[in-house]
Amino acid sequence: MSRFGLRIGFTASMEQYQPSYLLSLVDDVERAGFDSVWVSDHFHPWFHTNAAGGFAWVWIASAAERSKKLSFGTGVTCPTMRYNPAIVAQAFATLGSMYPGRIFLGLGTGEAMNEMPVGCSWPPFKTRVEMLEEAITVIRKLWTENFVDFRGKFYTLRKANLYTRPSEPIPIYVAASGPTVAELAGRLADGFLTIPLEESHYRDVLFPAVRRGAEKAGRSVEEIDMAVEVYVSYHEDYDAAFRSVKCWAATLLPFMFKYPIYDPREIESYGNLVSDEALKKAWLIGTSPEEHIRHIEHYMKLGFRNIHVTSSSPDERKTIAMYGRDVIPYLKSTYK
């Protein structure tokens, strides 16, 4: 039995909405009873038309200042190329110092759209996994040790010392959709984060990989917070709700994560290859609260207790209000 209770989060999609608008939603999200806000950390967005590109770390600080209860973190940061991991450690140590117990850090192997535009190369997957593992080592050392000397394969520290430390430990989540990084999450992270996938892929691939990693680290898999991002759109008009998710089509193409494709105009054009049927399978296009409840319950039954909702709805305030009125109270009272 997991030691983690049910938590429901909301995604601040920095690619889709301008930061000022997302900031205006923070009070609504808190009143609705969400527990957390996961912030996408991108340099380029997944599409070009009507896209946005705010900086996640700046937004987190401003949003946390507005909130009293919500926790905030990235979903997710690549700490290996455009960011030096020591700077990631400093940034989140500062956030953790100012907002104790309300900051977390999501990490991943990255996407070409965020690294290549600023002059970084796009290494093979194996190299990026090695970089991520070393980056986590650097971050944790700086959070817990003094005047750190470190010489790794990719990063070097010379008597590096953080003079502002987090007031409480900052949970690190590692995002993965395949077994290699899922095992890394089991070894090194406080939480594992994934996305909507086939049920058998969780059961036969990802969960066993997390467990293997935990066992290698000498700990129980029950110590790892199992988190999932779910994709939803809400409106009484089904067609309106569906049209609102079409901008995300390219995210369903696996090759987008593998190859050096980084121009949002090109990415958007590849989205035209995705069928409506594929989008409807990946996204919940829900016209009633009951559909959204059943969708989250599905992931809970698979073993997730930390579920954050990425909404691409025609009216986000309306969606947040519906969750606060119907979805969150039901789930929190039913699954205590």
Side-chain angles (χ1 to χ4, degrees):
M1 179 66 68
S2 171
R3 66 181 177 86
F4 298 99
L6 174 64
R7 280 138 305 137
I8 302 173
F10 187 82
T11 301
S13 296
M14 303 297 282
E15 313 97 308
Q16 187 171 17
Y17 300 116
Q18 294 296 343
S20 293
Y21 171 72
L22 288 170
L23 200 61
S24 77
L25 297 179
V26 170
D27 289 345
D28 300 68
V29 170
E30 186 159 87
R31 279 196 301 270
F34 287 95
D35 300 295
S36 59
V37 177
W38 295 70
V39 188
S40 52
D41 189 349
H42 277 244
F43 186 83
H44 271 178
W46 278 101
F47 45 89
H48 170 70
T49 304
N50 297 322
F55 185 33
W57 305 356
V58 171
W59 189 90
I60 287 172
S62 185
E65 190 67 25
R66 288 196 173 204
S67 165
K68 301 299 183 187
K69 298 178 181 178
L70 290 167
S71 60
F72 295 86
T74 49
V76 296
T77 292
C78 175
T80 57
M81 285 175 264
R82 77 188 192 277
Y83 302 137
N84 184 293
I87 302 305
V88 178
Q90 184 185 29
F92 280 81
T94 301
L95 288 168
S97 172
M98 293 191 298
Y99 307 106
R102 296 172 54 208
I103 299 297
F104 57 90
L105 174 60
L107 300 176
T109 55
E111 295 152 348
M113 71 179 76
N114 300 316
E115 312 307 324
M116 295 189 70
V118 298
C120 299
S121 62
W122 188 237
F125 175 70
K126 181 177 183 295
T127 302
R128 289 186 281 123
V129 174
E130 292 174 348
M131 294 174 77
L132 176 61
E133 179 165 357
E134 192 169 300
I136 293 172
T137 299
V138 167
I139 291 167
R140 289 204 187 278
K141 279 181 172 292
L142 286 170
W143 282 349
T144 58
E145 300 177 18
N146 298 319
F147 296 98
V148 180
D149 285 310
F150 176 84
R151 184 174 293 278
K153 184 176 179 181
F154 305 101
Y155 308 108
T156 297
L157 299 174
R158 300 185 185 94
K159 293 182 172 53
N161 193 59
L162 290 184
Y163 284 84
T164 295
R165 300 283 179 91
S167 302
E168 298 180 20
I170 297 173
I172 290 178
Y173 290 79
V174 166
S177 57
T180 303
V181 183
E183 185 171 321
L184 187 151
R187 283 193 293 115
L188 298 180
D190 304 290
F192 166 66
L193 170 64
T194 191
I195 56 175
L197 299 163
E198 294 292 338
E199 186 173 333
S200 60
H201 192 68
Y202 299 131
R203 183 185 64 245
D204 301 334
V205 178
L206 294 184
F207 291 168
V210 175
R211 186 177 298 276
R212 284 196 304 273
E215 290 172 352
K216 287 180 180 178
R219 58 180 180 154
S220 168
V221 73
E222 306 302 335
E223 298 175 41
I224 300 169
D225 189 12
M226 305 297 278
V228 65
E229 175 185 12
V230 301
Y231 311 141
V232 309
S233 182
Y234 169 72
H235 199 273
E236 294 87 346
D237 181 337
Y238 182 92
D239 291 336
F242 175 65
R243 286 194 300 271
S244 193
V245 310
K246 296 189 79 169
C247 58
W248 296 100
T251 63
L252 303 186
L253 298 169
F255 66 80
M256 296 300 307
F257 298 89
K258 182 177 181 181
Y259 295 111
I261 303 168
Y262 57 89
D263 187 329
R265 296 165 294 184
E266 182 182 1
I267 295 167
E268 186 174 289
S269 70
Y270 279 121
N272 295 326
L273 301 174
V274 177
S275 68
D276 288 357
E277 291 71 24
L279 268 170
K280 291 174 182 177
K281 184 178 180 181
W283 286 77
L284 170 69
I285 314 299
T287 60
S288 69
E290 291 74 23
E291 291 172 282
H292 290 257
I293 289 170
R294 288 196 299 271
H295 192 62
I296 292 176
E297 284 181 320
H298 168 72
Y299 288 94
M300 292 177 61
K301 290 172 183 176
L302 293 174
F304 296 103
R305 283 296 178 271
N306 191 339
I307 299 168
H308 66 275
V309 174
T310 293
S311 172
S312 186
S313 302
D315 184 337
E316 297 297 4
R317 291 189 193 280
K318 185 175 184 178
T319 300
I320 293 166
M322 182 275 287
Y323 266 75
R325 183 183 63 246
D326 299 311
V327 176
I328 294 173
Y330 173 82
L331 292 172
K332 290 290 183 74
S333 63
T334 305
Y335 302 96
K336 295 181 179 179

